[in-house]
Amino acid sequence: MKDIVRPEIVPILREMERLAEELSRGADPLLRSQAEFLHGRIVAMVAIAGGDLNPGGEPASGERELS
Amino acid sequence: MLALSTGLENLERDRLEQLQLERLSALVERVYRDSGYYRRLMDSENVKPGDITSLDAFRDRFPFSTKQLFLDDQQTCPPFGERLSVPREKVALINLTGGTSGQGQEAYGRTQADVHTLGYLHAFPWARVGLRPGHTMLNCVPTGGMTTGGWGPSEGIRIAGATGLTPPPALSTEAKIELMLRFRPIHFIYASTNFMHRLTEALVSMGHEPREAFPDLAGVFIAAEGYPDAWAERVQDLWGCTLHEGYGSTQCVGFAAATGTSGVIGSNGQRGVMDFFEWMTFCEVVNPETGLQVESGEEGELVVTNLTIEASPVIRFRTGDRVRFVDGRTIGQTLHGMECGGIGRFDDMMKIRGNNVWPDAVDASVFSFPEVAEYVGRVFTGAGGRTECELSIALRDIEESRRETIGDAISNAVKVQTNVSMKVVFVERSDLPEFTYKARRWNDERQQGYRL
């Protein structure tokens, strides 16, 4: 049986992180703080997924499948 | 596929350790740059970030931290200490450790990302053993307050996609049961060991068979206190589902370990194992005298390091918790862990109704009354399964009419100091022991009361 690390979620999360960052540059302070809230959540999800170690989006192990 | 799984919990051992080392290296690099506390600590032992080239190097070289060091840091640089590794304005939540003991409370800042991680470290162990989106989960751990345990469950339930049924802590057990019945089906229960006992007793005394009243339960999850094996078996039998256990704390930002699908009773009928979530928290079990890792099956002190926490990470923090280490390889799994049901302390701290109570703190309150000659205390499981505390106090010669007033004053003072209500009874001095060396005034008799 192969244990599959799920690398596909890291680039998606990275894109979400970028969009939240973009939102957080808005002028409305409440919108900005909500975007920062989302950004924080996404940053944590990136780390939970192992993307903190691989800015390019590859899984932490460096491999897509581990046998 | 497990809900919330990102796969890291399934890494082979060498890959897992590679991930731990990469996270540790990044963490050490960051705190050396951004935290005055850790920079000083590392400099004091002549450790530089580049020295942490292996997990062994980390274990051998990186200094331990203790509660006292953290409190000293906070005293020097209030309120968070120089452990805080992010700008103050990035702190979205303040956590304090439980209790109002004489030892003082550690302060932790949490960033938005840390708050999510806190929720994940509650959701993950529950989802791993059966909590699913759409489920209704009864959370009986007191909410709010300032501890991680007060915030984590609600965050975790939301992250898991479940519906939280979180009764106010002040509600009676019977009223909580009414809520459970009203919002059936209930799929998952999270409670302290003691409250699970209380809940079971109350439900049965109200004439319900738990497994018939709540036939959809996927699991019961307890934390915080030990229990006898027979009690665990009885709870499983009464509720008709697997009993699970987690180990967590404010320092761990949620759970650092929990049982897998088999629960607290292992396949061989022995105590089960709580697997360490090693991709999120680096866990060591060390001999408290030597600081060296113990062998599998031996007891030691749990030492924890947060691998992804931003604001107030703990690194090699000595928890004071006494656990039995289980090397995963001895039970055919990758993750190491610790034995269920037997967590104790290396100091004499007691966890009472979610509060960390040190006998020293009670001593300080009781002996602030010059009328007190001596006292002993006991914590036990009383009628109805409630945790009760009783102080047996011997007074010096005083007028009889003053006894009641003094009793109330002592009880109030102890409550203020510990956040725990304790009943005061007066006894003769000759009824209490003479402490000729270190006074051991407290008896914890709670487990004797866990009979269902």
Side-chain angles (χ1 to χ4, degrees), chain B residues 164-394:
Chain B
L165 179 62
T166 303
L171 216 56
S172 72
T173 306
E174 288 71 19
K176 285 174 182 158
I177 289 171
E178 292 300 335
L179 275 176
M180 287 175 71
L181 294 166
R182 183 174 161 195
F183 287 98
R184 281 186 286 187
I186 303 291
H187 302 93
F188 212 82
I189 297 175
Y190 173 46
S192 68
T193 306
N194 177 259
F195 189 77
M196 198 59 220
H197 177 77
R198 164 85 188 120
L199 184 70
T200 308
E201 269 207 348
L203 193 64
V204 170
S205 70
M206 289 166 76
H208 296 288
E209 285 286 334
R211 62 161 64 214
E212 286 175 17
F214 302 101
D216 301 287
L217 264 186
V220 168
F221 195 100
I222 56 171
E225 294 148 350
Y227 50 85
D229 294 349
W231 178 86
E233 286 171 15
R234 185 71 180 133
V235 167
Q236 292 198 145
D237 187 41
L238 282 168
W239 289 88
C241 66
T242 306
L243 180 66
H244 297 282
E245 182 182 359
Y247 171 90
S249 66
T250 292
Q251 293 88 0
C252 294
V253 203
F255 289 107
T259 49
T261 49
S262 58
V264 301
I265 300 170
S267 52
N268 54 2
Q270 303 295 306
R271 291 199 166 204
V273 174
M274 286 185 269
D275 305 328
F276 292 140
F277 303 153
E278 296 183 79
W279 63 101
M280 298 297 288
T281 307
F282 187 76
C283 298
E284 303 167 70
V285 182
V286 305
N287 179 317
E289 303 294 327
T290 64
L292 298 175
Q293 176 76 29
V294 301
E295 298 293 322
S296 189
E298 291 180 352
E299 282 193 334
E301 180 179 5
L302 184 64
V303 174
V304 294
T305 299
N306 309 138
L307 292 177
T308 68
I309 292 301
E310 293 182 336
S312 299
V314 306
I315 305 180
R316 300 204 85 204
F317 178 80
R318 298 184 72 142
T319 63
D321 285 328
R322 191 182 66 238
V323 307
R324 190 177 302 281
F325 175 63
V326 178
D327 185 316
R329 289 166 293 199
T330 65
I331 52 171
Q333 64 179 45
T334 301
L335 298 175
H336 297 328
M338 61 196 202
E339 190 178 85
C340 290
I343 295 166
R345 291 286 301 176
F346 278 105
D347 60 17
D348 45 11
M349 186 196 87
M350 299 172 289
K351 197 142 194 136
I352 303 176
R353 297 191 204 114
N355 298 286
N356 297 339
V357 178
W358 275 267
D360 286 356
V362 185
D363 289 357
S365 295
V366 173
F367 289 118
S368 68
F369 293 84
E371 297 88 349
V372 174
E374 188 52 90
Y375 89 98
V376 294
R378 69 181 187 116
V379 52
F380 60 101
T381 305
R386 291 187 180 84
T387 295
E388 308 281 1
C389 292
E390 186 178 84
L391 303 174
S392 297
I393 295 178

Side-chain angles (χ1 to χ4, degrees), chain A residues 7 30 41 45 47 49-50 55 58-59 61:
Chain A
L30 195 53
R41 297 271 165 173
M45 288 179 72
E58 287 298 303
S61 65

Side-chain angles (χ1 to χ4, degrees), chain B residues 105-170:
Chain B
Q105 294 168 289
E106 300 147 46
Y108 292 84
R110 306 293 189 209
T111 64
Q112 297 283 12
D114 291 340
V115 174
H116 185 86
T117 303
L118 185 162
Y120 169 78
L121 286 175
H122 283 78
F124 177 77
W126 299 335
R128 188 173 178 232
V129 297
L131 181 66
R132 292 289 176 267
H135 277 178
T136 298
M137 175 165 172
L138 176 74
N139 167 31
C140 280
V141 170
T143 48
M146 297 193 73
T147 65
T148 293
W151 287 95
S154 294
E155 290 282 346
I157 292 167
R158 283 191 203 103
I159 286 174
T163 306
L165 179 62
T166 303

